[in-house]
Amino acid sequence: VNYTNSGGSTVIARYQVSGSNPNVASPSSATTVMTISQPYTNHNGGCIQFGPDGYLWIGTGDGGSGGDPGNRAQDITNQLLGKMLRINVDSIPYSIPASNPFVGTTGDDEIYSYGWRNPWRFSFDSLTGDFYSADVGQNAWEEVDVVGGSDGIGGNFGWRCYEGDHTYNTSGCPSSSTMIFPVHEYAQGGSPYRCSITGGVVYRGSEIPDLQGTYFFGDYCSNQIWSFVWDGGGGINSLQDRTSELAPNAGSIAS
């Protein structure tokens, strides 16, 4: 699990199921895997997934406030915030996969990619292993990032230099040619009011064959849901508004 404790820090912890019911965790079995101090109360990320590689992936936000004032997302020297982390939890304490891109360099060994503002949520295509993540915008643009297989290893996904495809704060930033830009973005505002993206999953079910390979995502504020098909490169096909079909009526889309 990934949670924020009463002191404001991010905690990654492992629980074991109880002996009598495999759907219930035993409270006394908690083992802390990782703790990350948070400078502010927002942008804590929170999504964790086991990747097709068997490792635990952890999405961390940039630490909060507005505009990443500490430039944490671009800092790979001693900073786990604003990152996608990848660790091996086959045994605790965790170990570092040897293929992580900054092992043995000046970067934190846990980092797989960087330049994230608040990745919520990310997922893997269950057929191809491709990586999909929504990344919540600052005040103008929401985005979805997609990379195939291991293409994102060591990648810089742009924040705070860019918000979506748009310049935000390029002071001290590397060339944009070194960055990975979103395959889709949409503007905040409008009616209904859009302000915070929530990433979803790629459909690989059997009930609706025509939707094979279709990615679904929504917006927390507008309660809208869309889908698209990634083109395998830097763009998408078949963008559709699915809100009326799925008729979400349980409040804001958080997950």
Side-chain angles (χ1 to χ4, degrees):
V1 296
N2 182 334
Y3 65 90
T4 304
N5 67 16
S6 58
S9 296
T10 286
V11 178
I12 311 299
R14 183 186 69 179
Y15 287 81
Q16 294 179 319
V17 297
S18 65
S20 59
N21 187 341
N23 295 316
V24 176
S26 173
S28 62
S29 69
T31 300
T32 298
V33 176
M34 177 187 294
T35 302
I36 305 173
S37 297
Q38 294 282 355
Y40 301 98
T41 58
N42 56 336
H43 304 177
N44 289 12
C47 186
I48 56 176
Q49 300 281 353
F50 281 100
D53 50 19
Y55 297 130
L56 181 65
W57 293 56
I58 304 164
T60 66
D62 64 9
S65 188
D68 192 6
N71 202 20
R72 294 176 175 86
Q74 288 293 312
D75 182 1
I76 59 171
T77 60
N78 188 28
Q79 180 59 253
L80 296 181
L81 295 176
K83 308 299 189 298
M84 197 63 60
L85 310 179
R86 186 177 72 158
I87 59 176
N88 185 345
V89 293
D90 284 350
S91 61
I92 303 298
Y94 67 85
S95 60
I96 303 294
S99 57
N100 275 13
F102 301 108
V103 171
T105 71
T106 57
D108 277 306
D109 291 351
E110 292 89 345
I111 297 172
Y112 187 88
S113 63
Y114 63 106
W116 296 97
R117 184 173 182 271
N118 200 41
W120 185 259
R121 301 180 61 207
F122 67 90
S123 62
F124 297 91
D125 185 329
S126 61
L127 178 67
T128 65
D130 297 335
F131 173 86
Y132 288 69
S133 183
D135 199 16
V136 179
Q138 172 63 42
N139 52 26
W141 298 95
E142 306 294 313
E143 69 179 74
V144 179
D145 299 277
V146 187
V147 289
S150 61
D151 290 348
I153 188 166
N156 181 354
F157 284 80
W159 176 252
R160 69 178 183 180
C161 306
Y162 291 86
E163 180 186 9
D165 287 325
H166 309 267
T167 299
Y168 185 81
N169 181 351
T170 56
S171 176
C173 291
S175 168
S176 61
S177 65
T178 66
M179 300 179 186
I180 298 172
F181 283 87
V183 301
H184 178 63
E185 65 173 10
Y186 65 87
Q188 293 184 1
S191 180
Y193 184 78
R194 303 176 298 272
C195 79
S196 182
I197 194 169
T198 297
V201 297
V202 175
Y203 179 78
R204 291 296 179 187
S206 59
E207 294 296 319
I208 314 176
D210 288 348
L211 290 181
Q212 277 287 319
T214 300
Y215 176 72
F216 287 80
F217 64 101
D219 188 273
Y220 175 81
C221 300
S222 69
N223 216 26
Q224 292 172 283
I225 299 173
W226 302 271
S227 70
F228 66 70
V229 177
W230 181 43
D231 68 7
I236 63 170
N237 298 310
S238 305
L239 178 67
Q240 294 188 47
D241 187 330
R242 301 281 186 174
T243 312
S244 61
E245 295 177 69
L246 298 171
N249 58 7
S252 299
I253 299 171
S255 184

